[in-house]
């Protein structure tokens, strides 16, 4: 199974369109959304194409193919308009023999990991900076931000499959990757 991993759309229409484009381009089976879907947050600038109502429409259009977790910008009102669950702090999926723990990154983080085994995948967003690395036996993956990238990186998303995790820019070029 191939997963599109998206995080930190922050209400940007281009971020949601990037998600759809990447989903189609890579022929993904499922979307893993790591939160901060609609609101830009008080520490971020408003995206140039801030259009949460359009983002709602796009996200609800893939509601049957998405697993999402709550970001630090999600609120109960977001769950009222999104037609898929998005208020859990974490979720776990299994990818062959690997456990993939998905979270936004504000409750659990690489500095505050849940109980994971050697070789498990910790999938988070929140920092807006992509990551694909191994630390103390854990595989740390972050797709960066689809709309408000930081650290000099472009808008990005991730692809997760049984071979590994790769971060791509909006032109579908690999920025970084890690093989399992």
């Amino acid at each position: 199974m191939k997963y599109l991993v998206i995080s930190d759309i922050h209400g940007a229409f281009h971020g949601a369109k990037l998600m759809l484009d990447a989903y189609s381009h890579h022929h993904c089976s499922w979307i893993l959304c790591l939160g901060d879907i609609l609101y830009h947050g008080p520490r971020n600038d408003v995206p140039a194409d801030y259009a949460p109502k359009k983002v709602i429409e796009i996200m609800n259009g893939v509601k049957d193919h998405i697993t999402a977790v709550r970001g630090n910008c999600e609120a109960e009102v977001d769950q009222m308009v999104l037609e898929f669950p998005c208020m859990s702090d974490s979720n776990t999926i299994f990818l062959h023999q690997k456990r993939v723990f998905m979270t936004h990154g504000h409750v659990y983080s690489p500095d505050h990991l849940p109980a994971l085994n050697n070789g498990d995948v910790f999938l988070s967003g929140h920092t807006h900076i992509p990551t694909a690395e191994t630390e103390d036996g854990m595989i740390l993956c972050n797709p960066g931000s689809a709309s408000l990238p930081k650290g000099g990186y472009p808008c990005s998303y991730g692809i997760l499959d049984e071979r590994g995790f790769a971060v791509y820019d909006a032109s579908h070029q690999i920025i970084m990757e890690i093989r399992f």
Side-chain angles (χ1 to χ4, degrees):
M1 185 172 242
K2 187 184 291 185
Y3 296 95
L4 170 69
V5 184
I6 198 83
S7 189
D8 299 284
I9 296 170
H10 289 290
F13 184 53
H14 77 274
K17 287 193 312 188
L18 174 59
M19 178 193 71
L20 286 181
D21 184 43
Y23 185 68
S24 174
H25 178 84
H26 292 280
H27 307 287
C28 295
S29 303
W30 205 260
I31 299 168
L32 303 178
C33 180
L34 303 178
D36 284 0
I37 301 168
L38 300 176
Y39 180 55
H40 58 87
R43 293 180 300 218
N44 296 310
D45 291 332
V46 176
D49 61 345
Y50 185 63
K53 288 181 181 178
K54 290 181 181 179
V55 173
I56 292 166
E57 184 178 324
I58 289 171
M59 300 302 287
N60 285 341
V62 294
K63 68 182 177 186
D64 294 331
H65 300 276
I66 192 165
T67 299
V69 294
R70 178 180 71 90
N72 58 303
C73 292
E74 258 76 64
E76 289 180 23
V77 69
D78 299 321
Q79 186 61 84
M80 293 169 68
V81 296
L82 293 171
E83 297 172 1
F84 54 89
C86 68
M87 295 303 287
S88 177
D89 287 335
S90 65
N91 204 332
T92 301
I93 63 166
F94 291 89
L95 184 64
H96 293 276
Q97 301 300 317
K98 294 203 175 301
R99 179 171 51 157
V100 179
F101 182 89
M102 56 183 285
T103 190
H104 180 63
H106 66 295
V107 175
Y108 299 102
S109 69
D111 297 327
H112 179 69
L113 290 171
L116 295 173
N117 296 321
N118 211 13
D120 285 344
V121 177
F122 180 77
L123 191 59
S124 66
H126 186 56
T127 64
H128 299 218
I129 297 173
T131 304
E133 62 190 24
T134 301
E135 186 176 303
D136 297 327
M138 300 300 135
I139 302 165
L140 307 177
C141 302
N142 184 323
S145 174
S147 66
L148 296 170
K150 295 181 180 175
Y153 288 97
C155 293
S156 59
Y157 62 91
I159 297 293
L160 175 70
D161 63 22
E162 67 278 350
R163 296 171 304 181
F165 177 77
V167 178
Y168 291 82
D169 66 16
S171 299
H172 310 301
Q173 301 300 309
I174 292 178
I175 297 172
M176 64 182 65
E177 66 182 323
I178 187 168
R179 293 291 170 195
F180 301 154

